[in-house]
Amino acid sequence: MNDPQSATEPSAAPAPGSRRPGGRTARTRAAVRDAVLTGLAEHGYPALTVEYVAEHSGVHKTTLYRRWGGIEGMLADALALAGEDRWTAPDTGDLDGDLRALAHEVAEAFADPAQAAAPTAFVAAAFQSPRAADALRAFYEERFRRCETVVERAVTRGEAPAGTDAGAVVRAVSAPLFLRLFVTREPVDAAVADQAADTVLAAVRAGAFVPQPAGAEGGAGQS
Amino acid sequence: MNDPQSATEPSAAPAPGSRRPGGRTARTRAAVRDAVLTGLAEHGYPALTVEYVAEHSGVHKTTLYRRWGGIEGMLADALALAGEDRWTAPDTGDLDGDLRALAHEVAEAFADPAQAAAPTAFVAAAFQSPRAADALRAFYEERFRRCETVVERAVTRGEAPAGTDAGAVVRAVSAPLFLRLFVTREPVDAAVADQAADTVLAAVRAGAFVPQPAGAEGGAGQS
């Protein structure tokens, strides 16, 4: 989720309140992001302090307060940076392969404690900070938008009916995995990922992701 | 989720460490549960203390420590009590109606701040306490087990193929709702609930919830 390279690119968006684009500002922003992620993963949001970030980033407390306002601002900015990576959705050549690859990517990312720590900490922080929740929503909206290409290609290839709700499809694929990871606390493995892909593929083929007019078959209660 | 009646029934399981069944013990347990829920909803798990529970339950601190060990034990017991309610899965007469009712029940419960507070606080606490996570897993396993009857009846009626994985079906119905509520922080409404039910119904009818032998159609990657 976090590509350290993207943070130091000249094209990276300037930090909120920053006056100097790129270069030193980008490095400061990345250092603060790294300290926030380490603190979140090691201690959790409730224990994350400006003092901790100052100590672990080498950025002075007064600079942190001036530029980010406080911990919530740093957390939101760390998520914004995470969203600036170059990740693209899988392109295996067919919808079955793409949905399966998406599901497996989620399962594998969260099976690796090092990869799982930061996104898990962001999801946890959103329970305690409305600003973190807003940043998380923006992150996932953008991330799922990148995934929608999988469905758009499938419609072009004739694998999915025209009018298929791409956003609903890509959310449905990862939903059973996130349910187990963050709500029911049940194990996630390749079989769960395959089940998620199988479910959504069958529903796409049956046209269940094409919004129905109110009162039409399968649309009871949508009016 | 929390039926106060069930906590005072003679059949309620005794509190951990309790020597006297029912009556006063059950009332104490319910009082502690209520204080834990209030504290979680108002302040969150990180700020929940034995002092707070003592003050709000009227149960002495030494009793709380002796009987529950500490906050984690009280939280786990509150979840165990929540799981002792009389909730049963909807029985509308067909699978379409039952899945739709299940999805709408989740959407409506979390649209009501009073109903949503306790379950949301439990989900949040599980990020910080392994014992809360274990209790949450046990709660949802049991809750989804009650839901499986919906699928079993559908198989009997010939609405779902024999061998349909009932546990996967009922999890898939609520997964897109929980994804939006607790991960992507996107709004949940009746249309999202209907989409979840439509998706799963189509996949059930297509046999996507019948486990495939490795290498079979739709089972790529399961080997």
Side-chain angles (χ1 to χ4, degrees), chain A residues 187-216:
Chain A
V188 161
D189 58 16
V192 172
D194 279 315
Q195 176 64 70
D198 289 341
T199 302
V200 174
L201 187 66
V204 167
R205 287 175 175 164
F209 285 101
V210 180
Q212 301 289 315

Side-chain angles (χ1 to χ4, degrees), chain B residues 52-140:
Chain B
Y52 178 96
V53 177
E55 192 183 325
H56 287 75
S57 66
V59 179
H60 202 277
K61 262 177 67 174
T62 53
T63 306
L64 293 176
Y65 277 115
R66 191 181 67 240
R67 200 174 284 178
W68 283 275
I71 281 294
E72 285 203 305
M74 293 177 219
L75 190 83
D77 194 43
L79 254 169
L81 261 183
E84 285 174 18
D85 69 0
R86 295 200 196 85
W87 184 87
T88 55
D91 186 5
T92 66
D94 66 15
L95 182 62
D96 184 331
D98 286 354
L99 294 179
R100 209 167 294 281
L102 271 178
H104 280 264
E105 198 168 315
V106 173
E108 283 157 23
F110 286 97
D112 172 6
Q115 264 191 279
T120 301
F122 282 130
V123 172
F127 284 89
Q128 274 129 16
S129 156
R131 193 158 164 199
D134 287 343
L136 197 64
R137 177 169 49 248
F139 174 83
Y140 276 115

Side-chain angles (χ1 to χ4, degrees), chain A residues 143-164:
Chain A
R143 189 63 35 145
F144 280 123
R145 209 171 294 128
R146 293 192 213 176
C147 294
E148 290 179 12
T149 178
V150 157
V151 180
E152 289 153 11
R153 287 192 305 249
V155 171
T156 306
R157 284 190 299 250
E159 293 180 282
T164 296

Side-chain angles (χ1 to χ4, degrees), chain A residues 46-95:
Chain A
L48 191 64
T49 60
V50 174
E51 285 72 19
Y52 178 96
V53 176
E55 193 183 324
H56 287 76
S57 66
V59 179
H60 201 277
K61 262 177 66 174
T62 54
T63 306
L64 293 176
Y65 277 114
R66 190 180 68 241
R67 200 174 283 177
W68 283 274
I71 281 295
E72 284 202 307
M74 293 177 218
L75 191 82
D77 194 43
L79 253 169
L81 262 183
E84 286 174 18
D85 69 0
R86 295 201 196 84
W87 185 87
T88 55
D91 187 5
T92 65
D94 66 15
L95 182 62

Side-chain angles (χ1 to χ4, degrees), chain B residues 33 47 52-53 59 76 79 108 111 141 143 154 164 179 188 190 207 219:
Chain B
R33 183 265 322 269
Y52 178 96
V53 177
V59 179
L79 254 169
E108 283 157 23
E141 276 174 358
R143 189 65 32 149
T164 297
L179 173 77
V188 161

